Amino acid sequence: MPELPEVETVKRTLSELVVGKTISSVTVKWANIIKEPDDTKQFEMLLLNQTIREIRRRGKFLLFECDDVVMVSHLRMEGRYGLYKKDEELTPHTHVIFHFTDGDELRYQDVRKFGTMHIFPKGSEEGGLPLAQLGMEPFSEQFTAEVLQAAFSKTNRKIKVALLDQKTVVGLGNIYVDEALFRARIHPERLAQALSEEELIVLHHAIVTTLQEAVDLGGSSIKSYVNGQGEMGLFQQKLDVYGRKNEPCRQCGTEIVKIVVGGRGTHYCPNCQI
């Protein structure tokens, strides 16, 4: 958390707030968040006088495209951005502050301090880690059931584990894998390579539609997620299995079960998913 729908929502709301603003200075209060360059002073200098031209998303990453550089940001578990006036009191767990020439500040807050930030020369961001090994975007025309079939034919992993691998398709995490598998009526412990062509077509459709519906509703506010304007998502109201252990399945009434697959808590309906 956050997964693709949440990051896409943050991208859209932040774009309305900060695109066109120029960075006058940067304050790094927790150095471990800055991964590239490894010198925080250099990080601050690279962003000096840079105007944010566009905010893009790649998988679960936010890309702040400026005049000469691109900042790649991962929110991890509980990272969030918010726009404040410079005289507003700092909230707890504020670790990076981007000061703008107009007096506003974009503040990055992160209770667990797991978030990361990398800076690359503009145009080179896709060639290095963390973006270089990412798989296809689920909303792209190139992402098809055939892509899933090709990827799964080479693995003996369970389908839940295979879908969490960002090298195949990006943006899926624990919530939306569980939800997509429920919609596709596929048990999370099935071997990925054992799925039939028909099942893969259904799964592909379930992945795309689940993510799109979540984007349309602003993501799922599980724990602390809010968008760039501090608003909660609404998709959690439509979750069929995730977080619903021992509750009745909306389709058949059977109790939702929670197990561990690949080290991740996994929810499914033992009647609907085979």
Side-chain angles (χ1 to χ4, degrees):
M1 184 70 185
E3 303 176 30
L4 183 152
E6 291 74 43
V7 179
E8 177 66 22
T9 303
V10 171
K11 182 208 81 171
R12 294 180 182 185
T13 53
L14 276 183
S15 294
E16 297 176 4
L17 296 173
V18 303
V19 166
K21 291 182 181 289
T22 299
I23 300 170
S24 59
S25 63
V26 180
T27 302
V28 177
K29 302 172 73 66
W30 185 258
N32 288 348
I33 289 172
I34 311 305
K35 302 301 181 184
E36 179 63 36
D38 56 8
D39 182 340
T40 58
K41 293 302 179 183
Q42 186 180 359
F43 176 88
E44 294 169 4
M45 287 299 298
L46 286 170
L47 291 170
L48 184 63
N49 297 323
Q50 293 288 307
T51 299
I52 300 174
R53 301 299 181 184
E54 183 182 5
I55 302 178
R56 297 184 283 120
R57 179 192 56 76
R58 180 74 173 99
K60 301 178 187 179
F61 292 88
L62 290 169
L63 281 65
F64 292 77
E65 186 171 315
C66 301
D67 296 314
D68 304 309
V69 299
V70 174
M71 186 182 78
V72 178
S73 171
H74 198 304
L75 302 175
R76 297 296 176 185
M77 295 294 292
E78 297 194 28
R80 65 170 68 173
Y81 285 98
L83 189 68
Y84 298 83
K85 296 297 182 183
K86 63 181 179 181
D87 56 353
E88 289 187 68
E89 183 177 354
L90 286 181
T91 56
H93 313 294
T94 299
H95 304 307
V96 184
I97 305 170
F98 303 87
H99 308 273
F100 295 122
T101 56
D102 65 0
D104 287 343
E105 295 179 348
L106 180 64
R107 299 176 184 175
Y108 176 76
Q109 302 150 336
D110 193 337
V111 173
R112 298 194 181 187
K113 303 176 182 176
F114 288 166
T116 61
M117 296 180 188
H118 296 70
I119 289 185
F120 297 93
K122 194 171 182 177
S124 68
E125 63 274 6
E126 296 280 354
L129 295 177
L131 301 183
Q133 296 181 349
L134 294 182
M136 290 187 177
E137 289 285 338
F139 296 146
S140 71
E141 293 181 359
Q142 290 73 33
F143 177 59
T144 63
E146 288 74 23
V147 166
L148 289 177
Q149 186 173 37
F152 294 162
S153 67
K154 304 171 185 176
T155 181
N156 60 1
R157 295 176 297 179
K158 295 173 182 178
I159 185 60
K160 170 71 182 273
V161 178
L163 286 175
L164 288 173
D165 184 354
Q166 301 298 294
K167 295 178 183 178
T168 302
V169 56
V170 298
L172 286 168
N174 217 30
I175 297 173
Y176 298 108
V177 169
D178 283 3
E179 292 299 304
L181 288 174
F182 173 78
R183 292 188 180 196
R185 303 180 70 87
I186 296 172
H187 193 288
E189 293 187 303
R190 291 271 305 277
L191 291 181
Q193 63 181 197
L195 297 181
S196 68
E197 181 178 348
E198 182 179 351
E199 286 176 316
L200 288 172
I201 292 172
V202 174
L203 177 59
H204 170 266
H205 179 74
I207 291 170
V208 174
T209 56
T210 300
L211 291 174
Q212 186 59 64
E213 288 178 27
V215 168
D216 293 342
L217 290 172
S220 301
S221 284
I222 307 297
K223 295 185 179 178
S224 62
Y225 163 74
V226 293
N227 66 24
Q229 296 173 330
E231 301 165 336
M232 296 177 64
L234 298 174
F235 190 74
Q236 69 274 9
Q237 298 174 7
K238 294 188 64 175
L239 295 174
D240 287 310
V241 288
Y242 184 85
R244 299 190 63 241
K245 176 184 175 181
N246 297 332
E247 294 182 28
C249 171
R250 303 188 199 280
Q251 299 295 321
C252 71
T254 302
E255 282 192 359
I256 300 299
V257 172
K258 182 179 181 181
I259 59 176
V260 176
V261 180
R264 306 297 299 274
T266 300
H267 302 78
Y268 75 101
C269 172
N271 182 59
C272 293
Q273 295 171 256
I274 57 175

